[in-house]
Amino acid sequence: EEKAFETNKKTISYIDYKLKKKKTHLIIEAVKIIKDKFPSLTFKSFGLEMFNEHPKFVNFIRNPSQKEIANIYNESHIFIFASSEEGFGLPPAEAMACKSSVISSPIGAVPEYSLNGKSVLFINPEDVESIVESASLLLTDNRLNKSISENGFKMVREILNWDKSVDKLIDILK
């Protein structure tokens, strides 16, 4: 399904985590600034519980089903992931699989399945301004937003392909 990038009715999403290393509090600071710069934006957050206080303009979805999470990613033009510590880092891959442009810290496996400036915009998870700058860039350049979205979709489907991974493992074991 095609995502419309030539619109001022864009949605930004992020996950609310309890753990401080996930940096939800910094994402919240960033979305306040982003909303001031781009008042027509819609914001969605989701998580098991509401662990952080979100601005009133953020629509929080508590404990969504897998289908609801996919819908959030599908509706999102931008997904923000600012964790400072990860094992793998699956949410950016899930968002990419739904053609959401991803702004992420270069953490866990994210650099393995994406390329900065091509399929993701990497940010410093300690720096609110780097989140704001990356979001502003995507919001003011529809072609870049669409390109990051499409490249992310292609890369994540190519690199995180189960059959290809099994073939690689078999080759290693031979």
Side-chain angles (χ1 to χ4, degrees):
E1 183 183 317
E2 273 307 301
K3 191 171 283 193
F5 288 95
E6 307 296 323
T7 177
N8 60 0
K9 297 260 188 254
K10 292 191 171 113
T11 299
I12 294 180
S13 63
Y14 60 95
I15 302 173
D16 185 358
Y17 292 103
K18 184 176 187 176
L19 296 170
K20 290 282 178 241
K21 67 183 179 183
K22 300 289 192 170
K23 306 295 180 188
T24 306
H25 60 290
L26 292 181
I27 295 173
I28 291 169
E29 289 308 307
V31 301
K32 289 176 186 173
I33 298 166
I34 295 164
K35 180 69 171 176
D36 282 344
K37 288 176 79 170
F38 304 92
S40 67
L41 291 174
T42 300
F43 291 85
K44 291 188 176 188
S45 181
F46 61 96
L48 292 174
E49 295 285 335
M50 191 184 294
F51 298 109
N52 293 272
E53 192 173 324
H54 301 270
K56 294 218 183 313
F57 60 80
V58 175
N59 176 14
F60 180 79
I61 299 98
R62 184 184 312 274
N63 197 17
S65 68
Q66 288 298 316
K67 186 173 177 21
E68 288 172 309
I69 293 170
N71 286 338
I72 294 166
Y73 289 141
N74 280 320
E75 292 166 5
S76 298
H77 293 83
I78 298 170
F79 174 73
I80 303 172
F81 190 74
S83 182
S84 63
E85 216 177 291
E86 280 299 319
F88 185 81
L90 190 58
E94 293 173 336
M96 287 175 184
C98 296
K99 293 192 177 177
S100 181
S101 291
V102 171
I103 295 171
S104 176
S105 43
I107 200 78
V110 182
E112 304 296 322
Y113 60 75
S114 61
L115 194 59
N116 190 31
K118 182 174 168 80
S119 61
V120 67
L121 292 182
F122 283 139
I123 47 108
N124 174 349
E126 306 298 330
D127 181 15
V128 171
E129 195 51 43
S130 77
I131 300 170
V132 173
E133 282 175 20
S134 291
S136 298
L137 183 60
L138 291 173
L139 292 165
T140 55
D141 188 340
N142 289 331
R143 283 179 46 208
L144 178 65
N145 195 344
K146 185 174 183 177
S147 172
I148 295 279
S149 159
E150 289 175 352
N151 289 328
F153 177 75
K154 286 177 197 154
M155 282 188 80
V156 84
R157 290 179 63 94
E158 177 74 21
I159 294 168
L160 299 181
N161 178 301
W162 183 250
D163 292 332
K164 285 185 179 175
S165 297
V166 170
D167 291 343
K168 278 183 190 170
L169 178 62
I170 289 168
D171 286 344
I172 291 168
L173 295 175
K174 283 182 181 174

